[in-house]
């Protein structure tokens, strides 16, 4: 009798444990505890036991009943809770949404996009070149020979052997001219590197946008017209420009181009870019006939443009990664 009761208990608990619906719970309850259930049947036979065994068996029968009731109740609760959860929608559509904080275009990217757009309207295409560059493209082909003083103004990170981090975007001129024949009209924005200590106006990593135009009768007047137009597009129709004689090994003549602009309520001349007529030596390096082709080139610093456009005094703001900075613009 005792064995039968414990077996009954074990079997019932195992079955209840496996049940997964409220209907099956009810079926299990009826099967064990119901009026015609297994436990009723077993306890009915208690009366047949010898009198001295009855109390123990009766006690066990009660314990088995309690165990089964408890198991049924616990299982029922688990199933009911799972059901309630499944019935609920996956998320509460009445809650306010989580707002995605949209970023802002970085002022440098904006300056780059604006310049590219201005030049695209003037018929320029965008070209690109590698930031890890050969000395040949960064220097020799641009008429900057080794051991020559002109190299000093292009302080450069050397990687190894003849591999450098480009110190300006001018090597893209060479790469483009090697690839195709005139007419050429390209701008090449990108990152450049120089071993400068960071301060308000210097950074070892900065950005330039290079321009190159080559054709059969491109003159200095075209250079002036093109750059003056670009400046007016950028800084407004009243903008004045100034071309000062300068020197670059890869242009002759060369000019430093200034713009007369209002910065922080003050109008003054600002040095903006280098430019000039492509040096015949540069054409020779790429196999163009310098008797037939002429051209002009220019290089702007993008940080400079961003600082002028948005009137902030320290270029380090550009990579301090404080979102409040770019959000103001
Ligand atoms: N590459 C020059 C510099 O980095 C700028 C420049 C480009 C000047 C093209 C003339 C023509 O300073």
């Amino acid at each position: 009798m005792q064995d039968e009761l414990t077996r009954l208990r074990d079997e019932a608990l195992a079955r209840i444990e496996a049940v997964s619906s409220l209907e099956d719970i009810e079926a299990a309850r009826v099967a064990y505890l119901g009026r015609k259930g297994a436990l009723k049947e077993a306890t009915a036979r208690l009366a047949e036991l010898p009198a001295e065994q009855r109390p123990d068996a009766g006690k066990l029968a009660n314990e088995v009943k309690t165990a089964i009731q408890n198991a049924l109740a616990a299982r029922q609760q688990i199933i009911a809770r799972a059901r309630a959860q499944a019935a609920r929608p996956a998320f509460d559509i009445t809650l306010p949404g989580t707002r995605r904080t949209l970023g802002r275009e970085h002022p440098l990217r904006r300056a780059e996009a604006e310049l590219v757009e201005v030049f695209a309207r003037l018929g320029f295409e965008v070209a690109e070149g590698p930031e890890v560059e050969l000395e040949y493209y960064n220097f020799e082909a641009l008429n900057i020979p080794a051991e020559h003083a002109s190299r000093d103004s292009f302080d450069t990170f050397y990687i190894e052997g003849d591999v450098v981090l480009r110190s300006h975007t001018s090597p893209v001129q060479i790469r483009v001219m090697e690839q195709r024949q005139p007419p050429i009209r390209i701008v090449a924005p990108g990152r450049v590197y120089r071993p400068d200590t960071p301060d308000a106006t210097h950074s070892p990593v900065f950005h330039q946008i290079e321009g190159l135009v080559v054709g059969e009768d491109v003159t200095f007047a075209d250079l002036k017209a093109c750059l003056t137009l670009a400046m007016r597009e950028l800084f407004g129709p009243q903008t004045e420009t100034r071309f000062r004689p300068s020197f670059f090994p890869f242009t002759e003549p060369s000019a430093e181009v200034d713009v007369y602009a209002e910065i922080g309520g003050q109008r003054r001349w600002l040095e903006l870019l280098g430019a000039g007529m492509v040096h015949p030596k540069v054409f020779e390096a790429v196999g163009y006939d310098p008797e037939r082709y002429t051209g002009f080139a220019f290089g702007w610093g993008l940080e400079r443009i961003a600082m002028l456009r948005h009137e902030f005094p320290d270029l380090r703001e550009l990579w301090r990664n404080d979102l409040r900075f770019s959000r103001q613009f």
Side-chain angles (χ1 to χ4, degrees):
M1 185 78 209
Q2 314 260 32
D3 287 353
E4 195 188 326
L5 282 169
T6 46
R7 211 182 326 111
L8 183 67
R9 181 193 62 198
D10 293 347
E11 184 203 300
L13 295 186
R15 173 167 164 190
I16 293 166
E17 186 66 32
V19 153
S20 60
S21 74
L22 292 176
E23 291 73 23
D24 290 349
I25 286 272
E26 182 55 16
R29 200 188 62 76
V30 169
Y32 294 106
L33 306 179
R35 234 180 315 138
K36 289 177 184 160
L39 192 63
K40 265 280 147 50
E41 216 172 275
T43 45
R45 276 184 283 118
L46 283 175
E48 296 161 17
L49 290 173
E52 70 277 11
Q53 286 181 19
R54 254 180 259 160
D56 281 351
K59 194 166 162 244
L60 182 61
N62 267 332
E63 284 167 11
V64 169
K65 185 177 173 189
T66 312
I68 295 176
Q69 279 172 335
N70 287 345
L72 285 168
R75 195 71 200 152
Q76 182 163 8
Q77 205 175 27
I78 289 173
I79 292 172
R81 207 178 291 151
R83 251 198 208 187
Q85 205 141 41
R88 217 185 295 144
F91 58 90
D92 183 347
I93 54 167
T94 66
L95 284 174
T98 29
R99 186 184 288 273
R100 291 247 186 160
T101 43
L102 273 186
R104 200 56 78 83
E105 193 173 27
H106 192 271
L108 262 185
R109 289 278 162 253
R110 184 110 52 99
E112 177 184 313
E114 276 175 13
L115 270 158
V116 165
E117 206 205 295
V118 165
F119 285 106
R121 269 186 268 133
L122 296 172
F124 285 70
E125 301 167 56
V126 174
E128 275 180 63
E131 290 170 24
V132 179
E133 187 53 285
L134 291 171
E135 260 188 307
Y136 174 76
Y137 290 98
N138 198 72
F139 294 125
E140 273 89 13
L142 288 162
N143 190 34
I144 316 174
E147 317 299 338
H148 195 278
S150 57
R151 245 189 222 206
D152 298 349
S153 53
F154 295 93
D155 219 0
T156 302
F157 285 112
Y158 285 79
I159 296 193
E160 60 172 30
D162 57 352
V163 180
V164 301
L165 291 181
R166 67 177 181 191
S167 54
H168 51 173
T169 42
S170 299
V172 185
Q173 293 185 29
I174 306 298
R175 290 187 173 272
V176 168
M177 287 190 282
E178 275 185 348
Q179 293 300 315
R180 37 176 150 151
Q181 293 299 310
I184 284 175
R185 209 184 299 181
I186 56 111
V187 280
R191 216 171 272 148
V192 300
Y193 304 83
R194 286 184 204 177
D196 281 328
T197 308
D199 63 24
T201 54
H202 293 86
S203 159
V205 183
F206 58 107
H207 297 73
Q208 290 186 333
I209 184 164
E210 191 82 8
L212 174 70
V213 173
V214 182
E216 291 210 350
D217 39 29
V218 179
T219 68
F220 199 91
D222 296 317
L223 164 63
K224 282 190 85 168
C226 174
L227 288 178
T228 303
L229 210 73
M231 304 267 206
R232 294 201 171 139
E233 291 284 322
L234 280 171
F235 298 102
Q238 310 301 335
T239 307
E240 288 175 66
T241 52
R242 178 168 78 180
F243 290 71
R244 279 181 295 115
S246 184
F247 172 79
F248 297 101
F250 35 90
T251 47
E252 181 60 35
S254 302
E256 207 78 58
V257 187
D258 305 337
V259 63
Y260 195 61
E262 186 176 312
I263 300 301
Q266 238 187 345
R267 281 182 77 80
R268 56 191 171 98
W269 285 103
L270 298 154
E271 197 179 309
L272 222 52
L273 66 144
M277 300 305 291
V278 179
H279 199 291
K281 286 251 175 73
V282 173
F283 283 147
E284 276 164 23
V286 297
Y288 286 5
D289 177 1
E291 295 299 326
R292 179 168 173 205
Y293 297 116
T294 50
F296 63 83
F298 54 85
W300 312 53
L302 280 180
E303 279 75 3
R304 195 74 207 265
I305 303 283
M307 286 168 78
L308 292 178
R309 300 281 280 151
H310 301 302
E311 300 193 7
F312 58 95
D314 188 334
L315 74 75
R316 286 171 292 191
E317 295 292 354
L318 289 169
W319 29 267
R320 232 167 232 151
N321 282 344
D322 187 336
L323 277 180
R324 289 172 303 178
F325 172 68
S326 19
R327 284 210 184 105
Q328 340 167 52
F329 309 127

